[in-house]
Amino acid sequence: MASYPKIVVTPPGPKARELVKKDESLISPSYVRFYPLAVDSGKGCIVKDVDGNEYIDFNSGLVCLNVGHNHPKVVAAVKNQCDRFLHYSNTDFFYKEVVDLAEKLSAIAPGNFEKKVFFGNSGAEAIEAAIKLAKWHSRKQLFIGFISAFHGRTMGALSFTASKPTQRRYFFPLMPGVTHVPYPYCYRCPFKLEYPDCHYWCVDFIDEYVLQKYVPPEDVAAMVFEPIQGEGGYVVPPPEFFQRLKKLADKYGILLVDDEVQAGMGRTGKWFAVEHWDVEPDIICSAKALASGLPLGATITKAKVMDWSGGSHASTFGGNPLSCVAANAVIDIIKEERLLENANKMGTYILKRLAEFKEESEIVGDVRGKGLMIGMELVEDKESKKPASQKANEIMTRSWKRGVAVITCGASTIRIAPPLIITRELVDSALDILFDCAKEVEKEA
Ligand SMILES: Cc1ncc(COP(=O)(O)O)c(C=O)c1O
C-alpha cells in the first residue's frame, strides 16, 4: 500500500510558483490564500499539486469534499448527466434530478414534518434565501446574529458575517436590522464566566438585555446561527445552548435559521450538526459539501414556512442538474459507506490524540470538536490564553510543506476537517507531522 504524504520537491515547486505569479496578475486580490498550493488532481483523501507532491487533505478543499476527492460514484453521476442535459432552468421548468434531491434532503434534515427546499448556487445564496424567506413569511424586519459568525459575503449574508473587520470594511450600509450577540465560546467566554456556573447567561442575556431593552421581539423575524462556528474558530457551544435558544425563540415566535453550510452533510458525525443538540430549526442552509465541490446551495424549511409567492425569489442556475446528481450521489455514498459512523470514530480518535498532545504542549490551549470538525487552538501560554496567530500560521505552513494540507480559522485555531472517508493510517501520518511542526514552533519561540 502506498504511503502518504509524498513530497518530491519542496513546495511551492517551480510549476506552482509560475502559476501563482500568473494568478496574482490576473485574479482578484480580494482572495486570501492560505499558502501556494496549486492543485493538479485529487483522489480520496489525497490532493496532488502541479509539481507532483501529494498531500493528505486535512481541509477537504475548504470543507467541501466530505466523500473525498473525485468519488467514483459522484464522477459517474456527473458524466452520465453531461450526456443527458447540462441545464434547463428549474426556476421556469421541471426536471427529476432536483426533485429527487429535495426528497432526499427533506428525509435527512431534522424534524418529522413536511419540508420544502429552495436551491441556489452557494452558501451565501442559501443564507440570502433564508433571510428573504424569514422576512416574507413573518412580515418582520429584524434579526439576531452572532459575533464571530461567518455566513458569506453577499450583502445580505454579510450583514450577519462578523468574524473579521476586513470582511465588512467599506461595505456599509449593510442590510439594516441585524443585532449581533455574543456566541457561546466557552474557552474565551465573552462574559468572562465559566461553564456550567454561568447558567447559560449567554441566552438570558439575549432576552434580558437585547429583546427586553432595545430590539422589540415582536419585530424579530429570525435568529441566524452556525451550530458550530466555522471561520470563527471551530467553536462548539455547550450542551444545552440550542435547546435554550429555541425556547427563547419560541417564547417570542422567532424563527431559527441554522447555517449548516460548513458543519452539515455528515461533517460532525450527524447529517446536520444541530442534531447534536436535538433541536429542529425552522430553516436550514446547506452548501459546500452538499454537491462534493460543485456549486449548490439548499435552503430547507418547514413546508408551512416556505409560503412565498411565485416570482418572490429564484436563481437561473440554482439546483442545476450536474450539481443535483452529484448531491444525490453524495447522500447515497454517506449512507452506503457509513460515513457518519466513520466521522464519529475517526473524530473521537483525533480528539483523543489532540488531548494527549495538549498535555505535553505549552502552546495548545484548547482542543474541541464534533465528528471531523475539530479545532486545535494555539496560545502564547496557557495562563494568558493570548491567541498565538503567528504560531498557528507557522504550524500550518510547515505542515503543508511536509505534506499535510491543513488550514487555520478564528484567531489561532488549526482546523482539522479531513474527508469523512479518512483512515486511521492517514490520520496518524498527518497528526504526527502536525505535532512535529507544533513542537518545532514551540521550541523556537
Ligand atoms: C458557515 C458558512 N456559511 C456560509 C458560507 C458562505 O458560503 P459560500 O462561500 O459558498 O458563499 C460559509 C463559507 O465558508 C460558511 O462557512
Side-chain angles (χ1 to χ4, degrees):
M1 214 171 115
S3 83
Y4 293 101
K6 285 186 197 159
I7 297 299
V8 294
V9 45
T10 304
K15 288 185 183 160
R17 287 202 301 271
E18 196 185 319
L19 178 65
V20 168
K21 203 166 154 210
K22 201 162 176 189
D23 181 297
E24 279 170 358
S25 70
L26 289 164
I27 302 293
S28 165
S30 62
Y31 301 152
V32 191
R33 268 62 176 270
F34 286 99
Y35 36 76
L37 169 56
V39 175
D40 172 74
S41 56
K43 193 160 179 41
C45 297
I46 305 300
V47 59
K48 188 173 183 177
D49 76 10
V50 288
D51 294 289
N53 294 313
E54 294 180 76
Y55 309 83
I56 299 173
D57 192 350
F58 246 32
N59 76 84
S60 303
L62 212 57
V63 206
C64 293
L65 302 165
N66 288 6
V67 299
H69 289 258
N70 284 20
H71 193 291
K73 284 192 177 161
V74 173
V75 173
V78 172
K79 280 187 176 163
N80 179 49
Q81 185 61 35
C82 281
D83 289 337
R84 295 182 53 239
F85 66 100
L86 296 178
H87 168 74
Y88 214 80
S89 196
N90 188 238
T91 58
D92 294 82
F93 304 99
F94 298 89
Y95 46 87
K96 185 176 180 307
E97 292 71 12
V98 72
V99 179
D100 287 348
L101 179 57
E103 196 170 25
K104 286 187 183 180
L105 284 172
S106 299
I108 60 171
N112 193 17
F113 36 74
E114 277 183 37
K115 302 185 187 92
K116 282 199 174 158
V117 187
F118 173 88
F119 287 106
N121 302 285
S122 65
E125 278 188 55
I127 296 289
E128 294 291 334
I131 298 167
K132 286 180 69 178
L133 180 64
K135 283 192 175 198
W136 208 98
H137 174 73
S138 69
R139 307 291 149 97
K140 298 175 186 173
Q141 299 193 358
L142 305 184
F143 289 86
I144 301 289
F146 286 89
I147 297 169
S148 296
F150 189 86
H151 298 287
R153 290 183 164 94
T154 52
M155 289 304 272
L158 184 60
S159 311
F160 290 87
T161 288
S163 57
K164 290 192 179 84
T166 182
Q167 294 151 348
R168 307 177 131 225
R169 189 171 287 128
Y170 309 134
F171 295 130
F172 291 90
L174 304 175
M175 186 186 90
V178 182
T179 299
H180 287 85
V181 296
Y183 194 77
Y185 189 171
C186 296
Y187 181 63
R188 298 181 184 281
C189 175
F191 299 105
K192 310 277 182 221
L193 296 173
E194 282 214 11
Y195 173 81
D197 294 343
C198 61
H199 302 294
Y200 291 90
W201 173 238
C202 46
V203 179
D204 292 343
F205 171 84
I206 304 172
D207 195 5
E208 291 176 30
Y209 280 81
V210 179
L211 299 176
Q212 291 184 33
K213 297 272 187 214
Y214 70 108
V215 178
E218 67 278 13
D219 291 340
V220 177
M223 297 192 195
V224 180
F225 63 85
E226 290 163 273
I228 295 176
Q229 278 190 338
E231 304 303 307
Y234 275 30
V235 180
V236 185
E240 285 170 47
F241 178 74
F242 288 113
Q243 285 100 324
R244 287 175 183 244
L245 194 71
K246 175 153 175 46
K247 226 168 147 191
L248 179 61
D250 287 348
K251 177 172 159 189
Y252 295 115
I254 297 171
L255 298 170
L256 284 185
V257 176
D258 170 23
D259 178 351
E260 297 265 357
V261 167
Q262 186 155 171
M265 297 311 292
R267 166 66 40 204
T268 68
K270 298 211 183 261
W271 283 108
F272 295 97
V274 77
E275 293 173 67
H276 289 284
W277 287 265
D278 208 12
V279 160
E280 293 165 358
D282 302 285
I283 302 177
I284 294 178
C285 299
S286 178
K288 279 198 184 281
L290 176 57
S292 204
L294 270 68
L296 186 63
T299 308
I300 309 156
T301 77
K302 285 180 176 160
K304 65 173 190 209
V305 171
M306 195 169 272
D307 56 357
W308 48 15
S309 58
S312 51
H313 196 54
S315 156
T316 299
F317 294 126
N320 84 80
L322 291 182
S323 298
C324 285
V325 295
N328 278 318
V330 165
I331 294 173
D332 292 346
I333 293 161
I334 292 176
K335 287 181 187 165
E336 287 160 14
E337 299 186 11
R338 304 175 71 85
L339 296 186
L340 301 183
E341 284 90 330
N342 198 52
N344 282 315
K345 192 166 141 203
M346 289 300 128
T348 304
Y349 176 66
I350 292 173
L351 273 173
K352 179 175 158 280
R353 283 206 58 189
L354 287 178
E356 286 162 8
F357 184 62
K358 183 183 150 198
E359 290 308 305
E360 60 181 86
S361 165
E362 290 303 315
I363 59 168
V364 176
D366 192 30
V367 295
R368 53 184 179 253
K370 292 210 180 277
L372 286 169
M373 186 168 187
I374 296 174
M376 174 171 94
E377 182 160 343
L378 281 306
V379 290
E380 294 297 346
D381 62 84
K382 293 189 186 186
E383 204 145 300
S384 75
K385 293 186 181 176
K386 190 165 176 261
S389 309
Q390 257 184 335
K391 289 192 174 77
N393 283 338
E394 190 58 35
I395 294 166
M396 170 187 77
T397 309
R398 285 188 196 198
S399 299
W400 166 63
K401 282 181 183 276
R402 288 179 53 183
V404 181
V406 74
I407 58 177
T408 55
C409 56
S412 62
T413 297
I414 302 276
R415 62 178 129 179
I416 296 174
L420 311 184
I421 55 170
I422 194 91
T423 59
R424 171 89 177 250
E425 289 70 30
L426 288 178
V427 162
D428 279 330
S429 185
L431 287 183
D432 288 348
I433 291 171
L434 184 65
F435 294 166
D436 272 357
C437 294
K439 278 187 228 161
E440 274 173 25
V441 169
E442 180 179 342
K443 217 188 273 167
E444 287 166 21

